[in-house]
Amino acid sequence: MEILGFDKTDGAPVRHTDLHRKAGWDALCLRSSKIVTFLDLAGHEKYLKTTVFGMAGGAPDFVMLMVAANAGVTGMAKEHLGLALALGIPVFVVVTKIDMCPPKVLDATLKQLSKVLRSSGCRKLPVAVSDRKAVVMAAARCVSQRVCPVFQISNVTGEGVDLLQTFLNILPLNRHNSTISPSVSPASPQSEQAEMLRFDINEIFAVPYVGTVVSGVVSSGSVHLGDALWLGPDFNGQFISTQVRGIHRKRAEVEAGYRGQSVSLALRKVGRNQARKGMVLLSRAQIEQPPVATSTFEAEVVVLYHSTTITRKYQAMVHCGAVRQTARVLSICSANDENEDALRTGSRARVLFQFIRHPEHLTEGSRLVFREGRTKGVGRVTRVFDTAEQSAILASIKQDKLKQTSWSNKLDHSQKASAVEHQISTKS
């Protein structure tokens, strides 16, 4: 993670005053009127799950897709573009290494990029940014997700870098972020009282003389120093109580963290082995009793690609915010509440999932991505079941299986009997 600050007077990027010593984040934040945070995610296919976790759990406002001019739009670039589209995150493209790329190769790369963006699966309008007037128009329209600005830069000669920096400075906050409620401003006092606190944990650290420190994103509400919180769920689906003893944002100590901000919290009386990625922090003042985790949930999904068919008992890795766990398919229902036997590429249905290992804390309306090999699908959580409902669902599914098994046994028995009669009649 890195940050870029812009000056308060002329909007220029904040530089290091000492060439031999890098300025700290706290000093950079004091000199800046706007801070842009960069999450560097892996581009290699081997680390695709890390990229999916970063995009789903990091709650980015925009995706900056890097394309090498001499390499063209690779398969992984298309993969990352499709992931951004599935999560509903606006995208802008930066074509690099234009200084070492022959003009014919650069033109071929731009044509290929334009073809991919205009395709039926993407449906974006690529806009080449070549002057400051185009920068202003691109920044204003990028949030709509219909326009995709395309920059051409060279880190060797510096060509196009100033336009990209200006674009980042005037780029507005994405208030349509699917993981953050857009109704109220992130730093608004009304949001503290009206919204329930939810803090998704992405990283856990053991800091000497401090204790356990968790890092993540405030999905809703706000967290303050000294707040009493629920931490969980653990592997048994239970929550424990804790207290905030310190808050850091951009490596600087602060008093509170608000919705949409990435902060680090020092927790009191929590061991390193008691916290894990995917856990949440909820306010004890708003929720008196320990929250309930779930292993079963329903989601409306769309299968983006699958080589054959998805049926019951199919297992895939589900990414929902900071949650990353394997889940199995219990049942598949169409839009008409009719049971379906299988899903194929392009199919839409309501699917009942069950986590394999341990319960998680999910909220209705959350976006999810499930993948297994080259199979990919997206969806949204429509219902989360409590313990009693889970037991009833599992019992009904088990009963349906017994009915299907008994009917199949009867059919097999009748088929065998008819086959024996046919053999007897043939012999006679």
Side-chain angles (χ1 to χ4, degrees):
M1 179 186 294
E2 288 293 340
I3 63 174
L4 174 64
F6 294 93
D7 192 77
K8 300 179 180 179
T9 56
D10 56 357
V14 176
R15 310 292 183 182
H16 301 295
T17 56
D18 190 355
L19 297 178
H20 303 286
R21 184 179 180 183
K22 187 176 180 180
W25 283 22
D26 51 350
L28 194 147
C29 292
L30 290 176
R31 297 166 52 194
S32 304
S33 61
K34 180 179 181 179
I35 298 292
V36 179
T37 305
F38 294 91
L39 299 175
D40 186 14
L41 299 178
H44 196 275
E45 184 179 3
K46 179 180 178 181
Y47 306 103
L48 179 60
K49 65 178 182 179
T50 304
T51 303
V52 176
F53 178 76
M55 292 182 64
D61 294 306
F62 298 91
V63 170
M64 182 169 64
L65 183 65
M66 310 296 292
V67 177
N70 57 347
V73 183
T74 61
M76 289 310 300
K78 298 177 182 178
E79 191 81 24
H80 296 159
L81 178 61
L83 181 60
L85 294 174
L87 295 174
I89 308 174
V91 182
F92 62 93
V93 183
V94 178
V95 182
T96 62
K97 301 180 181 180
I98 61 174
D99 59 293
M100 61 178 294
C101 183
K104 292 184 178 180
V105 179
L106 178 59
D107 292 340
T109 299
L110 294 177
K111 289 180 180 179
Q112 183 187 13
L113 178 62
S114 177
K115 182 178 180 181
V116 171
L117 293 176
R118 294 176 183 271
S119 62
S120 59
C122 190
R123 295 181 181 178
K124 286 186 176 293
L125 179 63
V127 176
V129 180
S130 56
D131 52 22
R132 292 188 176 274
K133 183 179 179 180
V135 169
V136 176
M137 295 179 61
R141 299 178 180 179
C142 185
V143 183
S144 65
Q145 299 191 32
R146 181 70 178 88
V147 176
C148 180
V150 179
F151 296 85
Q152 301 180 39
I153 69 169
S154 170
N155 293 321
V156 177
T157 62
E159 181 181 354
V161 176
D162 56 339
L163 298 178
L164 180 59
Q165 292 175 348
T166 304
F167 174 79
L168 294 175
N169 185 22
I170 65 177
L171 191 63
L173 179 66
N174 180 18
R175 301 190 182 277
H176 300 283
N177 195 325
S178 59
T179 58
I180 301 170
S181 175
S183 57
V184 190
S185 173
S188 174
Q190 292 84 356
S191 63
E192 302 180 26
Q193 303 175 0
E195 290 187 343
M196 301 286 289
L197 168 65
R198 179 183 174 89
F199 181 86
D200 296 306
I201 298 177
N202 295 333
E203 296 288 344
I204 304 101
F205 309 95
V207 181
Y209 307 105
V210 175
T212 302
V213 176
V214 296
S215 174
V217 178
V218 183
S219 300
S220 62
S222 61
V223 58
H224 297 77
L225 193 64
D227 283 355
L229 305 176
W230 293 110
L231 171 65
D234 57 13
F235 292 105
N236 297 321
Q238 303 297 320
F239 284 75
I240 61 174
S241 60
T242 183
Q243 189 177 16
V244 180
R245 57 182 300 182
I247 305 176
H248 277 226
R249 180 170 182 261
K250 299 292 186 291
R251 301 179 185 176
E253 189 172 356
V254 295
E255 295 293 329
Y258 300 96
R259 182 181 64 253
Q261 295 181 349
S262 177
V263 298
S264 298
L265 307 178
L267 303 180
R268 191 185 302 274
K269 296 181 180 179
V270 174
R272 172 63 180 82
N273 57 350
Q274 292 180 287
R276 61 172 177 83
K277 294 181 182 180
M279 279 187 168
V280 297
L281 289 170
L282 306 174
S283 175
R284 292 183 60 188
Q286 298 170 335
I287 305 176
E288 297 181 358
Q289 298 297 327
V292 178
T294 182
S295 295
T296 309
F297 64 96
E298 186 185 64
E300 292 182 354
V301 302
V302 179
V303 181
L304 301 179
Y305 175 78
H306 189 63
S307 57
T308 56
T309 57
I310 296 177
T311 59
R312 292 183 181 182
K313 298 183 180 180
Y314 173 80
Q315 297 185 7
M317 181 66 70
V318 174
H319 297 263
C320 184
V323 174
R324 180 176 64 180
Q325 189 182 160
T326 304
R328 69 164 62 93
V329 175
L330 295 181
S331 66
I332 303 173
C333 293
S334 63
N336 301 327
D337 293 335
E338 296 179 358
N339 292 333
E340 291 190 2
D341 296 332
L343 294 177
R344 297 170 178 81
T345 300
S347 299
R348 294 175 177 266
R350 289 187 295 109
V351 179
L352 190 65
F353 289 97
Q354 183 187 34
F355 288 120
I356 297 295
R357 298 180 59 192
H358 48 77
E360 301 283 2
H361 189 274
L362 302 179
T363 56
E364 296 180 359
S366 302
R367 285 181 175 268
L368 64 86
V369 177
F370 64 92
R371 64 177 189 86
E372 187 265 329
R374 298 191 62 185
T375 300
K376 293 173 184 64
V378 297
R380 190 180 293 272
V381 178
T382 57
R383 188 176 178 183
V384 178
F385 300 98
D386 56 21
T387 306
E389 292 174 332
Q390 293 179 44
S391 302
I393 290 172
L394 295 177
S396 62
I397 292 176
K398 185 177 181 180
Q399 187 176 3
D400 291 341
K401 288 181 180 179
L402 292 176
K403 289 181 179 179
Q404 293 175 1
T405 304
S406 61
W407 276 107
S408 62
N409 290 336
K410 291 180 180 179
L411 290 174
D412 292 341
H413 181 71
S414 61
Q415 290 176 356
K416 291 179 180 179
S418 61
V420 171
E421 292 178 358
H422 177 69
Q423 290 178 0
I424 293 174
S425 61
T426 304
K427 289 180 180 179
S428 60

